[in-house]
């Protein structure tokens, strides 16, 4: 057994080139040489790819051969490969918590591409910091928690249905929560599907009914998730099942009730193109196959007011007094499949949507040519219900636009239009179709074929996005004004009907879902994956997975593929039945604790018990502690130790940063989930910023105590940054409100001491805000350039203990 | 963009040019600018907005030497529609400044010689649309172009026998329509309710931007081609549409603009010292009012409001406040106008709205305002302003200008004429014919407050529409 805690320190340092990713702008040999010179380092080497098998083997061999008891790898971000290297250490008999990483790629070589000297100096510092922390690491033992073998799937579109079925077939219990009265999502609304042109509802309906009757699936429609607590393997969920007012089990969907209902309202499912009654079923194939009453539309739940439906229903299925139900579920894993909405083009006034009757959206078009739709599948234009002879499609409406709508490409609308053009040509071959596009994106399997089929069937593709649509008030015909960018000439095309190919946008209540499950969003508003390439269906919150469009716009095939992937990821967790949780929790030293109760007050998880009256010291309930470290940062008596992020370890990092040239450096404390990830994202996007910053990672910004900040200043640092997730996006409920309070207090304190408070910065940076991080550092570079040596000297004196 | 970069230094110039070129690379070549641009419709062979951007990425110096640079009329339609949010007219303004400093006025003169072949009031047009005051263009150069243009009068006389057409209104739309019709051989009479012809040119656009004399000279010049103007004749009051059609006018072009100023609907709007925009601008322009050392408050966020506030400062106001109830992001005024107003010392106050006009003996002296905050977006995507309860405050001032928008004054027109949003007249987009056969419309009365180049292209379309109508009926 390797000597782990006591006795001589034997540290091995491994500097990775990452091909040229690091070596391109950092002198890796020099960094290795530097590492070799550090105290307690007994072995140091550089390697082209440390994460490769041979790279890992070197570490394993060294652990055995050189009796290493600490390992430091300087390479990419720990958010990518920490698990890999921890595993390698463990394989060689070293406790995985005796491993430390220096992030010299995402936060160094990639962001200082043109400053080899600066980048190399910074890489050395980062290694020095890692070694300093490594010295103080202690072995930790992960606890195992059971995983409940049940899944919650949120959203019953094709992705949610597929994920639910895949898991149910593997014998896991699934609860599928859908906010609408029926499952099916967008796919139920569309007519045919590209690229195969099958009938959408024909292929979806069997899956819907299978989900409806599967013994392992509980379907909760007309329902919303209200509360989520717990952690991976052990989530507690509260779901509000809103009253349907029709007994799902009794209703035979005969429709007698709707026949007598006097109310007529626009049908949401037909995007308002047709009407429904106050008691209705959204569409023929709805699952569950039961009617529902919209109480806002219903004339009166007192029989005197109306109650016609109640009289008519032979099964007595209608119950006006049906209450909402709050259901509680225990699940081990969660799949978020909340899908998309479509862009509303009203704000693009130049296209006249809602002003000109014959301008419609692509989703409305799907309902119009659907046999089950309001016109029975006949292509008619709204103004006079005539079959249009010329039809114009306008692409990228609300997509790829920095001003109106969204900057991203919506991924499906090109193919959807190609599909629509073929559908029209099939049934009304004399129609003249003109498609105005910016680029045609037909990259998937079978897509190019479909595009060519459309072109060869006589559909005109005109390159250029129309400037505007005008209407002839008499005929209601439309004039599409557009530059044909192939000729450079402006053309006017008169059409009978124009279809706006609208983009896909995140569902309207995705903010609510984000908060409930503490998710992050990328700048496009869709949920962010744990890693875009290697963990594309995992959420950053462990035990939560994504399926379908919730994670980004995609077509049905990709949605289904992703759903199966998410189901399989969740299945892996649940099959094992238990999972190790990271050993990062708080421990109270009862000898020092004077039972003031401050820690218990700030803990977002109520994980601390303390009896202030009887002065019984604080005690941490380990299973409830999430490890944010807020308590440790608040405790005035240093009675709380945060495992794996101890005061000593963090202070040692500060000391390492400030050993030389402290007055030219920025000490940045970044939280693992958002700001550290944001700094990584700046790297991935190669956003360049000044190399003066040194990042120290903690799990939560709530961990950063007053002392840590003051210590950095005391050591002569020019500036300090505390960065966390946006308020309300905290991964530890609301711990960052404590951060905010603490920093505001510190500002006052600094001012009182005559220290420029600008030197301490607080920033909320999400994992997607690489640019914000880079800008923050640029801003702080300006600040440190202005701080004089005298000022720093004065600070050091004032703070001297 | 580094607006602060000094155009007068070599480095400053290079920085500005670099920045514009950098942005030019972002063009997606979608063509929305070209499709929107009224100047492309007028000068299809001379001007092409995004090709100019592409040229910039290839050889910026060549663009600075070219005459193409001088066609943009700064109408901002391209910017409003550009998916990359490129501020094309701002680039153009900056490039023109650079081009003048580097290459002098020769390219501008070349552009002018093209413009005057199409637009019959080229100097008025240039003065309003290229904003010489913003690019340090010496007024003497405009003067010289004006004298040259007048001295190079066209000798061609058009036939005197064609059918008669009535044009209502003598703003840019009316003048352009009349001129085009005259060229086709029609006999044209313009009915104008004001004494001075010229529409907004002679009524509203401040003198420092466009001298009245230039407008009157150009119209006089235009009249020599055989166009009759009947001043002080208002359609609906002095003469009706039916009368025109019964008389031997074969068709009518309505070019009556948008002159009805919207009211706030609060008490005190009739106090002394309270003006609508047009009243205020007219006082300045026609009555040569000076507003010595007074405090002026302008309410509104559009181009006209900016112009009124700027003019107040130019004509001696001590200070001018502009109140807008939303934030800069929602403000409808073009960025160039906002920058200009700020440069002229106008103090723009966002998220404030008037609730009461107070005064002594019906003479305005205090504006009661309330602070606003932004609520949910409306259907057009702009966030609705909501008053913050209890945040009322008083603004002391001498003059109040209500500039919250204009709309066409169609009350006196026949009821059967079909209209749309904000009293705009509905027309066939090709022929510009209204719902009444033989009656056409163009300019601000169709579009709502718009721009000079839009008025011109509308009128040109209408002239062709009228010609077709007469030939086929
Ligand atoms: C006009 C149009 C045409 C298209 N044509 C095609 C095509 O031809 N071929 C193709 O492959 N793809 C096509 N697509 C794309 C296709 O619709 C999507 O790929 C697919 O619907 C994605 O499925 P999903 O389950 O991820 O999301 P959705 O279908 O959007 O389903 C999401 C579900 O989650 C529910 N939900 C949302 N929020 C909550 C919440 N908070 N709680 C509970 N439930 C919630 C919603 O009600 C919905 O039922 C088209 C899309 C559009 C808009
Ligand atoms: C302060 C200000 C600044 C502007 N700056 C610019 C600018 O920088 N660039 C730009 O492109 N545009 C600018 N504009 C807009 C531009 O002036 C108008 O869009 C343009 O003048 C519209 O032309 P028009 O012929 O349709 O209407 P007008 O110019 O308004 O002319 C209409 C004419 O019809 C007459 N009339 C109305 N009703 C009747 C009736 N019943 N009988 C007889 N005659 C009638 C009016 O008296 C008027 O003379 C500005 C406008 C204002 C107010
Ligand atoms: S898929 Fe096509 S239409 Fe849709 S946003 Fe992308 S390029 Fe535009
Ligand atoms: S404050 Fe954070 S670290 Fe401390 S007990 Fe609570 S969850 Fe654990
Ligand atoms: S609208 Fe914008 S992106 Fe499109 S061609 Fe014009 S400048 Fe380029
Ligand atoms: S601002 Fe107006 S005139 Fe100038 S390029 Fe744009 S659309 Fe054309």
């Amino acid at each position: 057994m390797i000597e782990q805690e006591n006795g001589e320190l034997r540290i091995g340092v491994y500097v990775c080139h990452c091909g040229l990713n690091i070596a391109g702008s950092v002198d890796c040999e020099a960094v290795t040489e530097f590492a070799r010179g550090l105290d307690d380092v007994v072995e140091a080497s550089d390697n082209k790819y440390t994460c490769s098998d041979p790279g890992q083997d070197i570490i394993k061999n060294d652990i055995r051969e050189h009796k290493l008891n600490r390992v430091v790898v300087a390479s990419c971000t720990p958010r990518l490969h920490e698990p890999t290297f921890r595993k390698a250490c463990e394989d060689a008999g070293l406790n995985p918590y005796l491993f430390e990483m220096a992030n010299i790629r995402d936060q160094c070589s990639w962001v200082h591409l043109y400053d080899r000297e600066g980048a190399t100096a910074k890489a050395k510092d980062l290694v020095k910091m890692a070694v300093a922390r490594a010295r103080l690491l202690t072995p930790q033992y992960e606890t195992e928690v059971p995983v409940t073998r049940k899944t919650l799937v949120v959203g019953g579109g094709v992705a949610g249905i597929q994920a639910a079925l895949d898991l149910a077939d593997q014998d896991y219990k699934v609860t599928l929560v859908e906010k609408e009265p029926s499952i099916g999502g967008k796919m139920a609304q569309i007519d045919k599907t590209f690229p195969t042109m099958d009938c959408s509802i024909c292929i979806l309906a069997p899956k819907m009914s299978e989900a409806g009757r599967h013994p392992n699936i509980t379907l909760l429609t007309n329902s919303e998730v209200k509360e989520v607590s717990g952690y991976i393997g052990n989530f507690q969920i509260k779901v509000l099942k809103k009253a349907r007012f029709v007994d799902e089990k009794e209703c035979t969907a005969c429709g007698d009730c709707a026949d007598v209902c006097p109310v007529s309202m626009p049908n949401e499912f037909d995007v308002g193109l047709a009407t429904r009654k106050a008691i209705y079923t959204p569409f023929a194939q709805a699952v569950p196959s039961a009617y529902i009453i919209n109480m806002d539309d219903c004339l009166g739940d007192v029989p005197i007011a109306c109650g016609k439906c109640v009289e008519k229903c032979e099964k007595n299925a209608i119950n006006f007094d049906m209450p909402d139900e709050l259901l509680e579920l225990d699940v081990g894993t969660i799949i978020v499949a909340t899908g998309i909405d479509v862009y509303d083009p009203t704000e693009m006034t130049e296209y006249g949507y809602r002003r000109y009757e014959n301008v419609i959206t692509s989703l409305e078009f799907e309902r119009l040519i659907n046999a089950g739709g309001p016109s029975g599948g006949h292509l008619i234009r709204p103004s006079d219900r005539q079959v249009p002879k010329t039809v114009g499609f306008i692409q990228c409406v609300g997509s790829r636009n920095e001003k109106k709508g969204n900057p991203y490409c919506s991924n499906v609308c090109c193919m959807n239009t190609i599909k629509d053009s073929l559908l029209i040509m099939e049934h009304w071959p004399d129609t003249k179709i003109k498609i105005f596009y910016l680029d045609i994106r037909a990259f998937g399997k079978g897509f190019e074929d479909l595009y060519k089929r459309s072109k060869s069937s006589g559909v005109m593709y005109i390159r250029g996005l129309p400037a505007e649509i005008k209407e002839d008030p008499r005929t209601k015909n439309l004039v599409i004004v557009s530059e044909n960018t192939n000729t450079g000439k402006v053309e006017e095309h008169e059409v009978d009907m124009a279809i706006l190919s609208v983009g896909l946008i995140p569902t309207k209540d995705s903010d609510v879902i984000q908060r409930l499950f503490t998710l992050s969003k990328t700048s496009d508003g869709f949920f962010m994956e744990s890693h875009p390439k290697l963990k594309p269906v995992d959420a950053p919150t462990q035990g939560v997975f994504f399926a379908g469009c919730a994670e980004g716009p995609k077509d049905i095939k990709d949605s289904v593929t992703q759903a199966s992937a998410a189901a399989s990821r969740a299945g892996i967790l649940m099959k094992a039945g238990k999972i190790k949780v990271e050993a990062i929790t708080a421990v109270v030293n009862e000898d020092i604790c004077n039972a003031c109760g401050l820690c218990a007050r700030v803990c977002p998880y109520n994980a601390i018990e303390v009896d202030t009256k009887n002065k019984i010291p604080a005690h941490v309930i380990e299973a409830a502690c999430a490890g944010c470290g807020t308590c440790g940062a608040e405790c005035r008596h240093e009675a709380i130790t945060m495992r794996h992020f101890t005061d000593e370890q963090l202070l040692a990092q500060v000391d390492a940063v400030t050993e030389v040239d402290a007055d030219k450096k920025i000490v940045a404390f970044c939280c693992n989930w958002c700001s550290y990830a944001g700094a990584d994202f700046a790297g991935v996007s190669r956003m360049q910023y000044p190399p003066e910053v040194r990042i120290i990672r903690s799990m939560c910004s709530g961990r950063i105590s007053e002392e840590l900040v003051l210590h950095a200043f005391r050591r002569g640092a020019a500036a300090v940054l505390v960065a966390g997730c946006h308020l309300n996006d905290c991964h530890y409920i609301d711990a960052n409100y404590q951060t905010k309070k603490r920093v505001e207090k510190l500002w006052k304190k600094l001012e009182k001491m005559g220290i420029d408070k600008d030197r301490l910065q607080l920033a909320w940076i999400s994992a997607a805000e690489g640019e914000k991080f880079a800008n923050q550092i640029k801003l702080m570079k300006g600040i440190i350039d202005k701080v004089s040596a005298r000022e720093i000297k004065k600070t050091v004196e004032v703070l001297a203990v | 963009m580094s607006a602060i970069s000094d155009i007068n230094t070599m480095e400053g110039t290079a920085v500005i040019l670099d920045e514009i070129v950098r942005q030019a690379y972002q063009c997606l070549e979608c063509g929305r600018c070209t499709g929107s641009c009224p100047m492309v419709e007028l000068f299809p062979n001379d001007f092409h907005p995004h090709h100019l951007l592409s040229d910039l990425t290839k050889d910026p110096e060549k663009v600075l030497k070219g005459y193409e640079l001088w066609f943009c009329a700064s109408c901002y339609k391209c910017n409003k529609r550009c998916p990359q949010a490129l501020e094309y007219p701002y680039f153009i303004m900056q490039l023109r400044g650079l081009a003048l400093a580097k290459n002098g006025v020769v390219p501008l003169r070349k552009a002018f010689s093209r413009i005057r072949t199409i637009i019959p009031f080229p100097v008025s047009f240039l003065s309003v649309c290229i904003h010489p005051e913003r690019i340090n263009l010496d007024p003497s150069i405009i003067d010289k172009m004006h004298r040259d243009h007048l001295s190079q009068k066209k000798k061609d006389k058009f036939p005197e026998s064609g059918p008669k057409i009535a044009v209502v209104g003598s703003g840019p739309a009316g003048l352009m329509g009349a001129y085009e019709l005259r060229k086709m051989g029609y006999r044209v009479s313009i009915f104008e309710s004001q004494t001075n012809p010229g529409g907004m040119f002679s009524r509203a656009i401040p003198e420092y931007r466009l001298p009245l004399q230039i407008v009157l000279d150009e119209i006089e010049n235009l009249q020599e081609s055989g166009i009759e103007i009947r001043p002080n004749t208002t359609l609906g009051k002095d003469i009706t549409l039916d009368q025109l059609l019964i008389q031997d006018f074969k068709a009518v072009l309505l070019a009556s603009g948008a002159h009805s100023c919207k009211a706030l609907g609060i008490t005190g709007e009739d106090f002394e010292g309270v003006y609508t925009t047009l009243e205020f601008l007219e006082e300045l322009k026609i009555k040569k009012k000076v507003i010595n050392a007074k405090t002026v408050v302008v309410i509104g966020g559009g181009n006209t409001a900016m112009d009124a506030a700027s003019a107040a400062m130019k004509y001696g106001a001590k200070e001018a406040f502009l109140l807008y109830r939303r934030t800069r992001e929602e403000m409808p005024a073009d960025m160039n106008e906002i920058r200009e107003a700020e440069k002229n010392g106008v103090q723009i106050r966002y998220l404030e709205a008037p609730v009461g006009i107070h005064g002594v003996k019906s003479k305005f002296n205090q504006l009661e305002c309330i602070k606003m905050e932004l609520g949910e977006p409306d259907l057009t995507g702009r966030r609705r302003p909501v008053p913050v309860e209890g945040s009322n405050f008083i603004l002391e001032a001498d003059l109040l200008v209500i500039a919250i928008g204009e709309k066409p004054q169609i009350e006196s027109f026949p009821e059967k004429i079909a209209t749309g949003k904000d009293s705009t007249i509905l027309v066939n987009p090709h022929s510009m014919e209204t719902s009444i056969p033989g009656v056409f419309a163009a300019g601000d009365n169709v579009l709502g407050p718009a721009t000079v180049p839009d008025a011109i292209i509308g009128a040109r379309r209408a002239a062709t529409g009228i010609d077709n109508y007469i030939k086929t009926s």
Side-chain angles (χ1 to χ4, degrees), chain B residues 27-33 50 53 82-84 86:
Chain B
C27 169
L28 297 174
E29 291 172 70
C30 70
R32 294 196 84 201
C33 48
H50 71 85
L53 289 182
C82 174
Q84 291 288 74
L86 297 179

Side-chain angles (χ1 to χ4, degrees), chain A residues 55-71:
Chain A
Q56 293 187 42
D57 285 344
I58 295 178
I59 299 179
K60 290 182 200 168
N61 282 337
D62 284 357
I63 292 177
R64 296 192 188 101
E65 198 173 305
H66 298 288
K67 300 210 173 342
L68 299 181
N69 54 18
R70 300 289 188 282
V71 170

